[in-house]
Amino acid sequence: LVGSESEAAEAWTLLAPAFAAAPETTDWLADGARVTTPEERARAAASYRAPVSELLELGQASFGLAWRDEPLTGLGHEHEGELLRMLVDTGLHEHDQTSPVIWAPIHALRALARLRCAQAIEPILTLFHDNPDDDWILNDTASALVNIGEPSLPAVHRLLADEGAPQESRSLAADVLAVLASQQPRLREECVAALAGALRLQERNSPQFNAGLVSAMMTSAAVEHVGLIRAAFESENVDELSCGSWETVARELGVDRD
């Protein structure tokens, strides 16, 4: 439960009769509140064909970005349909924590990113939104979108511009745009323009989000928007603990702080 202590206490008061009437609910929650049965999870794991099925046996994924340079052994564009199914397969996501099968969706995500599969963009973002506490999905989402490249831009632009979206999601979009701007000169103008557009709304943004935008513009070397960046600091609505002071940013961008 989330919220204040009083809200949590009220929620438990409302839920207590339900738990008393159905004590098995407590066991279900303790088991991860899974919506699939053991039989359904077994059928899900058995439904894939080689070479995609080999991802079920790889086990724990490495943490970090090294996967982007690993070879795609035996997997090609003809396997994208099955990889997309594996990416969002609830039966795999809810598999036993000790089984290598539970890692298969992460391996599928990485394979789709290396294949630069544009069809994977929306499912990857949905997976990110639905699993905000999953470190591997959090770590891989931005890298996957960057790897897919230009086809990711429409979805990333929409996410950045959505003021109703969670801040973590909009920050992810800013990070993707920053990396694409720095790695692909042809996309730089479009990516930096989107970041600048978000920073122009600095008064409506949180200090933390503004700091993330400033950091993204530093990564993009957005010296053409130095006036906008300085104005954000002058508004006193930038979390300097996250991105540094105006003097630090000016020095990084190689511009006059005055």
Side-chain angles (χ1 to χ4, degrees):
L1 293 174
V2 296
S4 67
E5 290 186 13
S6 61
E7 290 171 333
E10 182 180 356
W12 279 118
T13 300
L14 294 172
L15 289 170
F19 284 125
E24 67 276 8
T25 303
T26 304
D27 295 333
W28 174 69
L29 288 172
D31 192 40
R34 292 187 277 192
V35 298
T36 56
T37 65
E39 293 75 20
E40 289 170 333
R41 294 192 285 276
R43 285 198 297 271
S47 68
Y48 294 92
R49 299 169 296 175
V52 175
S53 60
E54 295 172 11
L55 301 184
L56 298 164
E57 303 170 2
L58 292 181
Q60 182 168 339
S62 59
F63 196 75
L65 302 178
W67 61 268
R68 295 185 300 181
D69 300 319
E70 295 172 357
L72 269 172
T73 307
L75 293 172
H77 294 290
E78 67 273 21
H79 302 113
E80 288 178 358
E82 220 172 1
L83 288 168
L84 286 166
R85 181 165 67 88
M86 178 176 280
L87 175 68
V88 297
D89 192 329
T90 304
L92 302 185
H93 282 280
E94 293 192 342
H95 220 278
D96 295 337
Q97 294 290 322
T98 57
S99 169
V101 172
I102 200 168
W103 293 96
I106 292 294
H107 293 302
L109 183 156
R110 295 178 174 185
L112 289 162
R114 281 177 284 169
L115 288 168
R116 292 179 167 81
C117 176
Q119 287 180 285
I121 295 167
E122 293 297 342
I124 288 173
L125 284 172
T126 298
L127 199 62
F128 170 77
H129 294 318
D130 292 346
N131 298 273
D133 299 321
D134 190 309
D135 290 338
W136 268 264
I137 293 175
L138 178 64
N139 179 66
D140 284 358
T141 297
S143 299
L145 295 175
V146 167
N147 225 62
I148 294 170
E150 186 172 4
S152 299
L153 285 178
V156 173
H157 285 322
R158 286 195 301 272
L159 185 57
L160 181 69
D162 184 359
E163 295 184 60
Q167 182 173 297
E168 294 77 9
S169 299
R170 299 182 74 200
S171 295
L172 171 89
D175 291 343
V176 171
L177 290 170
V179 176
L180 286 175
S182 64
Q183 292 184 354
Q184 299 195 36
R186 184 172 59 84
L187 303 179
R188 181 184 178 281
E189 183 178 355
E190 178 182 351
C191 294
V192 170
L195 293 169
L199 190 58
R200 287 192 183 94
L201 304 177
Q202 57 198 249
E203 293 182 359
R204 302 212 299 258
N205 299 334
S206 71
Q208 293 74 27
F209 183 55
N210 280 334
L213 291 171
V214 169
S215 296
M217 296 182 81
M218 291 170 64
T219 300
S220 309
V223 293
E224 65 268 44
H225 292 292
V226 65
L228 175 63
I229 297 171
R230 180 171 182 169
F233 279 96
E234 290 176 346
S235 73
E236 299 185 349
N237 195 32
V238 176
D239 180 9
E240 296 187 12
L241 291 176
S242 298
C243 66
S245 65
W246 159 243
E247 288 74 14
T248 300
V249 172
R251 184 170 58 250
E252 289 290 327
L253 291 174
V255 299
D256 187 349
R257 67 181 185 180
D258 299 323

